[in-house]
Amino acid sequence: MAWSQDEERMLAQIEQHLVDDDPRLVARLESFNERVRRSEARSKGEGGARRRPRRSTVIILISWLLIATLIATLLIMVLRHEAAAAMALAAAF
């Protein structure tokens, strides 16, 4: 159902009053609308296919895995060294 000219004019006036009263709200709504448009465009363009992760995401993931492996290795080394030192100390007495 189409809007009448009076209804369109009233809506335009309401919109203008909102723009004048709260420009921050207008900026937020425009930002939200832009994100929705981008999201819709992305979902239409994919056709159900999975999106590949970005290169930076993969690099960060690999970095975290390497850091976790290094920490685990160091902890194992320290615990083995402490256990060997405790056994040597016990054997000395």
Side-chain angles (χ1 to χ4, degrees):
M1 183 173 164
W3 298 93
S4 70
Q5 288 182 347
D6 288 336
E7 290 171 330
E8 287 183 15
R9 183 181 47 79
M10 288 172 60
L11 285 173
Q13 287 176 346
I14 293 170
E15 181 182 2
Q16 188 58 45
H17 286 297
L18 282 173
V19 169
D20 293 340
D21 287 345
D22 196 354
R24 286 178 57 201
L25 174 64
V26 173
R28 286 181 182 172
L29 290 174
E30 288 175 355
S31 172
F32 174 76
N33 289 337
E34 180 60 30
R35 282 185 280 165
V36 169
R37 272 187 239 112
R38 276 186 280 166
S39 176
E40 288 174 348
R42 237 183 313 171
S43 65
K44 288 179 184 176
E46 287 182 1
R50 286 192 65 192
R51 192 171 59 115
R52 288 180 47 198
R54 284 190 242 160
R55 184 183 305 178
S56 60
T57 304
V58 172
I59 290 171
I60 290 171
L61 178 64
I62 291 171
S63 299
W64 277 107
L65 287 172
L66 288 173
I67 290 169
T69 303
L70 177 64
I71 290 173
T73 303
L74 290 174
L75 284 173
I76 290 170
M77 290 174 61
V78 166
L79 292 175
R80 282 188 178 173
H81 178 72
E82 287 179 357
M87 287 177 57
L89 185 63
F93 290 110

